[in-house]
């Protein structure tokens, strides 16, 4: 009898079949449950606390009137924005890190969030404080700015193809330029506008309305769908362009589509919650380690991103004084993690 | 696998001109790859041998001329269909850290899979067979980055085999390997040839190329200067003309092929000794 290496058991549903990976399914289920739990806790805690069972009842539409008003009208938008921005940032980071084949390549590092911020601050300050902030105009500006910067970085990094390291170097430089631009705008601007812009710049889930939430929900749902379909073609691309081509992947097209999705997802997140730092960098890397996969998993990175963002918001609201914006907390978590990644990369190069 | 087929070439190029920017690397070149044998492309650095392999594998698009695969213009075939007919191992491919051998080889099934059909029992069988044929079945659960250079190259060859083709293009499969591992890998290539594969590869080591190939393509400055069985092609004149290498060609004591003995400027005992052979 020939020994067959036991690996890759298949799971079959009708004509559909996948590799059965129990650990990955388990981690995804646990992450989903945790995300739902922290989402509910985030809703439960506020000026006064609503019991968790009451939150669950209200979420499935069987709650009390009073609870329903507080939850659906006051607290739900904030929690949903956290969920959307977290998922978008997590998936966006997983995509950019996969495409660049480098854990440092997150939308923050590549200048996409920086570009979105600069455009948004420009809109806030140039409008002369005519309260364009917190409206659809600001979100659109951020999205457009992120997209524009993304294109700029991509075309500047293009040299007979895309090299991950080159992409990061160009991204870091462009990111620096956008930050300088933002600072310059803030120096020129009226003090009251600066205060408003600053709060937005740290990233915050404050004062969100249902209209903003719905716009983000639909855009994100469409993008995630595209990503999920295209992700199958991305799998051979982890081995480099030549191998991917040899395995029948039109890598230029696939990469362009996925990078566009990554930029748009980051843009959606930034326009919904401001440039919350480090979530897109940290979420895919931690998820990868949890799942023990060699490359960042897409869905689970999104779930972890939401967990991280809503969790950070919860910490910002409850543990820390002064109701700090969520970006402060993610920076406290993400900064050290970035240092860890850099040190580890250095050690590997030295070895 | 299929037995040795007729002489008709499955893969060939007609009048291809390939260049990067303003430099023409291959100029109006014709070549036919005989089926069922090992063809090796040799030539000095920068002669265009890797460019030829990359053109044949559709990684490079010729400015003029066509590459024919099974009678079809390769530029008109779907990328996926090319991948089902031809396996390709580029120079120094990279695997993400922590990826297991089984996962890497399984990826070779990509051209046969779709979003809804990501793992069939066919896939499992072919991958298991590819792992066994390349002698890496025992390593299936090891991370690729923990293996030695020679084992790693076996794993990559295993992945191209999992594509289920009997036409393999290998770009310098022995680079960075010490001689023992290089022999090990190229013995594997010979095994695959014995089992019916058609192989095209680029090699740097002339003596390995001579020993293991049935058909040599000798290139210089973007043109093919000689092609045929090593015993007919390799002469000291050819080596001097194409490589600028002073060498003696003698009978290989262990195989029925020629053996190239380079003559440097130093460590040559005397002229008369050389003439004695």
């Amino acid at each position: 009898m020939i020994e067959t290496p036991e690996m890759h058991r298949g799971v079959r549903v009708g004509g559909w079949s996948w590799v059965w990976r129990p650990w990955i399914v388990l981690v995804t289920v646990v992450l989903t449950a945790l995300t739902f739990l922290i989402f509910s806790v985030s809703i439960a805690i506020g000026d006064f606390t609503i019991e968790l069972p009451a939150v669950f009842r209200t979420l499935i539409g069987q709650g009390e009137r009073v609870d329903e008003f507080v939850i659906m009208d006051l607290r739900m938008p904030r929690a949903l924005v956290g969920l959307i921005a977290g998922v978008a940032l997590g998936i966006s980071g997983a995509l950019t890190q996969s495409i660049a084949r480098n854990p440092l390549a997150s939308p923050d590092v590549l200048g996409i969030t920086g570009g979105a911020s600069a455009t948004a601050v420009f809109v806030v300050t140039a409008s002369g404080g005519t309260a364009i902030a917190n409206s659809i105009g600001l979100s659109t500006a951020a999205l457009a700015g992120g997209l524009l910067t993304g294109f700029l970085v991509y075309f500047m990094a293009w040299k007979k193809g895309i090299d991950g390291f080159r992409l990061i170097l160009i991204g870091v430089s462009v990111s620096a330029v956008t930050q300088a631009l933002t600072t310059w705008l803030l120096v020129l601007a009226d003090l009251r506008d600066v205060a408003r812009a600053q709060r937005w710049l740290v990233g915050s889930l404050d004062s969100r309305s249902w209209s903003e939430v719905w716009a983000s929900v639909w855009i994100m749902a469409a993008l995630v769908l595209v990503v999920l379909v295209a992700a199958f073609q991305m799998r051979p691309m982890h081995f480099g362009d030549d191998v991917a081509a040899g395995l029948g992947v039109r890598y230029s097209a696939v990469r362009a589509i996925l990078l566009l999705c990554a930029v748009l997802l980051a843009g959606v997140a930034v326009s919904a919650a401001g440039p919350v730092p480090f979530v897109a960098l940290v979420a895919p890397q931690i998820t990868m380690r949890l799942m023990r996969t060699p490359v960042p998993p897409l869905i689970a990175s999104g779930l972890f991103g939401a967990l991280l963002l809503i969790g950070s918001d919860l910490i910002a609201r409850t543990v820390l004084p002064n109701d700090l914006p969520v970006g402060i907390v993610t920076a406290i978590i993400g900064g050290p993690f970035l240092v860890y990644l850099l040190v580890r990369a250095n050690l590997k190069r030295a070895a | 696998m299929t037995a040795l087929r007729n002489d008709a070439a499955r893969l060939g190029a007609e009048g291809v001109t390939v260049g990067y920017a303003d430099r023409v690397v291959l100029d109006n070149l014709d070549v036919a790859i005989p089926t069922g044998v090992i063809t090796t492309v040799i030539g000095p650095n920068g002669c265009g041998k890797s460019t030829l392999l990359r053109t044949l594998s559709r990684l490079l698009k010729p400015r003029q001329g066509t590459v024919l695969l099974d009678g079809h213009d390769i530029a008109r075939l779907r990328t996926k269909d090319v991948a089902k007919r031809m396996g390709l191992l580029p120079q120094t491919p990279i695997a993400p850290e922590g990826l297991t051998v089984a996962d890497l080889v399984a990826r070779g099934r990509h051209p046969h899979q779709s979003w809804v059909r990501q793992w069939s029992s066919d896939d499992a069988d072919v991958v298991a067979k590819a792992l066994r044929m390349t002698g890496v079945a025992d390593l299936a659960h090891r991370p690729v980055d923990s293996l030695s250079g020679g084992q790693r190259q076996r794993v990559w060859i295993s992945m191209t085999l999992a594509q289920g083709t009997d036409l393999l293009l290998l770009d310098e499969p022995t680079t960075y390997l010490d001689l023992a591992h290089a022999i090990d890998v190229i013995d594997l290539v010979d095994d695959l040839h014995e089992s019916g594969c058609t192989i095209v590869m680029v090699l740097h080591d002339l003596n390995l190329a001579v020993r293991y190939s049935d058909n040599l393509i000798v290139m210089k400055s973007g043109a093919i200067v000689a092609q045929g069985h090593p015993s007919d092609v390799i002469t000291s004149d050819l080596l001097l003309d194409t490589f600028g290498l002073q060498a003696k060609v003698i009978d290989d004591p262990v195989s029925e092929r020629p053996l190239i003995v380079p003559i440097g400027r130093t460590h040559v005992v005397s002229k008369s000794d050389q003439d004695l052979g």
Side-chain angles (χ1 to χ4, degrees):
Chain A
M1 186 63 206
I2 324 155
E3 48 95 33
T4 306
E6 40 93 28
M7 43 136 225
H8 287 140
R9 259 186 295 147
V11 54
R12 198 153 297 139
V13 184
W16 298 24
S17 59
W18 296 276
V19 179
W20 172 237
R21 296 178 199 272
W23 179 249
I24 287 183
V25 174
L26 182 71
V27 174
T28 310
V29 169
V30 170
L31 279 179
T32 312
L34 282 177
T35 307
F36 179 71
L37 187 68
I38 204 149
F39 179 81
S40 307
V41 171
S42 168
I43 290 173
I45 294 175
D47 290 336
F48 61 94
T49 306
I50 301 172
E51 295 292 316
L52 264 183
V55 174
F56 293 142
R57 274 200 305 276
T58 314
L59 285 179
I60 55 170
Q62 299 190 336
E64 316 251 332
R65 261 273 173 77
V66 192
D67 290 345
E68 202 171 304
F69 170 71
V70 173
I71 289 172
M72 299 311 275
D73 288 4
L74 301 180
R75 295 184 182 175
M76 187 75 151
R78 182 195 189 101
L80 263 182
V81 164
L83 185 75
I84 293 161
V87 169
L89 285 174
I91 296 182
S92 176
L95 284 173
T96 47
Q97 289 173 355
S98 299
I99 289 168
R101 276 183 258 120
N102 193 314
L104 298 178
S106 74
D108 330 28
V109 175
L110 295 180
I112 297 162
T113 23
S117 308
T119 336
V121 170
F122 174 75
V123 169
V124 172
T125 55
S127 67
T130 47
I132 203 164
N134 277 339
S135 77
I136 299 291
L138 185 66
S139 303
T140 318
L143 198 59
L147 200 59
L148 199 72
T149 323
F151 276 127
L152 192 71
V153 170
Y154 189 75
F155 285 113
M156 280 167 73
W158 180 272
K159 196 179 181 186
K160 285 192 215 156
I162 284 290
D163 169 60
F165 199 59
R166 209 178 136 77
L167 194 70
I168 289 174
L169 286 181
I170 303 261
V172 167
S173 342
V174 171
S175 191
V177 172
T178 59
Q179 266 158 34
L181 213 65
T182 308
T183 315
W184 182 60
L185 286 168
L186 289 177
V187 169
L188 291 182
D190 182 78
L191 260 181
R192 272 164 307 168
D193 298 340
V194 171
R196 193 179 301 132
Q198 283 286 16
R199 187 149 185 94
W200 187 85
L201 273 176
V202 199
S204 144
L205 305 181
D206 288 345
S207 52
R208 299 294 156 189
S209 69
W210 271 107
S211 64
E212 286 173 274
V213 171
W214 281 121
S216 316
V217 165
W218 290 120
I219 300 178
M220 196 192 72
L223 287 171
V224 169
L225 200 69
V226 175
V227 168
L228 286 185
V229 172
F232 170 70
Q233 292 296 332
M234 188 176 74
R235 295 195 309 187
M237 288 171 61
H238 295 292
F239 307 145
D241 291 350
D242 285 356
V243 176
L247 290 175
V249 175
R250 294 169 58 211
Y251 59 85
S252 286
V254 175
R255 185 166 50 208
I257 292 170
L258 287 173
L259 210 51
L260 183 69
C261 287
V263 170
L264 286 173
L265 280 169
V268 166
V270 174
S271 61
V276 189
F278 291 113
V279 172
L281 176 85
V282 172
Q285 289 300 312
I286 294 185
T287 317
M288 209 172 107
R289 284 163 177 74
L290 281 179
M291 288 202 155
R292 303 186 213 129
T293 52
V295 293
L298 294 171
I299 301 295
S301 296
L303 288 170
F304 196 87
L307 200 62
L308 191 62
L309 190 55
I310 304 175
S312 300
D313 182 54
L314 211 55
I315 294 175
R317 282 193 290 146
T318 56
V319 182
L320 299 178
N322 298 340
D323 202 8
L324 284 169
V326 61
I328 306 276
V329 180
T330 59
I332 291 171
I333 300 171
F337 194 80
L338 176 64
V339 173
Y340 158 76
L341 283 180
L342 285 170
V343 170
R344 203 169 151 275
N346 258 342
L347 287 178
K348 227 178 9 181
R349 198 153 305 157
Chain B
M1 295 262 175
T2 44
L4 222 144
R5 299 189 192 192
N6 54 23
D7 279 354
R10 289 188 57 199
L11 183 64
E14 287 175 1
V16 290
T17 299
V18 185
Y20 303 99
D22 52 344
R23 200 166 66 94
V24 171
V25 182
L26 304 180
D27 192 9
N28 195 19
L29 188 135
D30 294 306
V31 69
I33 304 301
T35 301
V37 302
I38 299 182
T39 297
T40 305
V41 188
I42 57 171
N45 287 335
C47 70
K49 52 187 190 298
S50 267
T51 305
L52 175 62
L53 198 81
R54 291 173 70 82
T55 308
L56 288 175
S57 63
R58 215 177 87 150
L59 287 180
L60 287 175
K61 197 170 170 248
R63 287 182 191 168
Q64 279 162 33
T66 45
V67 173
L68 291 172
L69 175 61
D70 293 329
H72 304 281
D73 180 354
I74 204 169
R76 290 173 185 278
L77 285 173
R78 289 172 61 217
T79 319
K80 210 172 173 174
D81 292 332
V82 175
K84 284 181 192 168
R85 293 164 193 257
M86 177 164 73
L88 165 72
L89 181 59
Q91 254 180 66
T92 55
I94 28 165
E97 195 188 338
L99 186 84
T100 63
V101 169
D103 277 336
L104 178 66
V105 176
R107 196 55 75 239
R109 295 306 293 161
H110 188 82
H112 301 271
Q113 294 167 338
S114 67
W115 201 93
V116 293
R117 207 175 144 277
Q118 300 197 1
W119 192 250
S120 67
S121 50
D122 260 11
D123 293 335
D125 293 345
V126 176
V127 168
K129 193 176 167 204
L131 286 167
R132 279 198 308 272
M133 276 181 78
T134 49
V136 292
D138 296 341
L139 309 173
H141 295 288
R142 294 263 301 273
V144 178
D145 46 276
S146 73
L147 305 180
S148 74
Q151 287 172 325
R152 216 175 294 173
Q153 203 59 295
R154 279 175 168 269
V155 170
W156 281 106
I157 292 174
S158 184
M159 188 206 73
T160 57
L161 271 184
Q163 274 176 256
T165 75
D166 51 5
L167 176 57
L168 296 181
L169 273 59
L170 314 171
D171 196 352
E172 300 203 16
T174 58
T175 342
Y176 304 127
L177 298 183
D178 59 44
L179 191 56
H181 284 112
I183 295 282
D184 178 58
V185 165
I186 213 150
D187 269 336
L188 167 65
V189 172
D190 200 59
D191 291 343
L192 299 180
H193 154 242
E194 290 297 329
S195 74
C197 286
T198 302
I199 303 208
V200 190
M201 59 182 172
V202 169
L203 281 185
H204 251 303
D205 189 311
L206 292 179
N207 276 323
L208 283 186
V210 169
R211 171 81 68 85
Y212 283 90
S213 324
D214 311 291
N215 182 36
L216 280 182
I217 296 177
V218 188
M219 292 185 67
K220 186 192 178 185
S221 323
I224 293 175
V225 292
Q227 183 172 357
H229 194 271
S231 308
D232 305 327
V233 169
I234 293 297
T235 62
S236 49
D237 284 346
L238 176 108
L239 293 169
L240 189 60
D241 287 347
T242 39
F243 293 89
L245 174 74
Q246 290 257 357
K248 251 186 114 52
V249 176
I250 60 173
D251 289 335
D252 187 340
V254 297
S255 77
E256 293 174 324
R257 298 284 169 87
L259 180 69
I260 299 166
V261 184
I263 306 169
R265 280 187 296 105
T266 55
H267 295 288
V268 176
V269 182
S270 79
K271 282 280 177 209
S272 56
D273 282 3
Q274 284 173 41
D275 293 337
L276 289 172

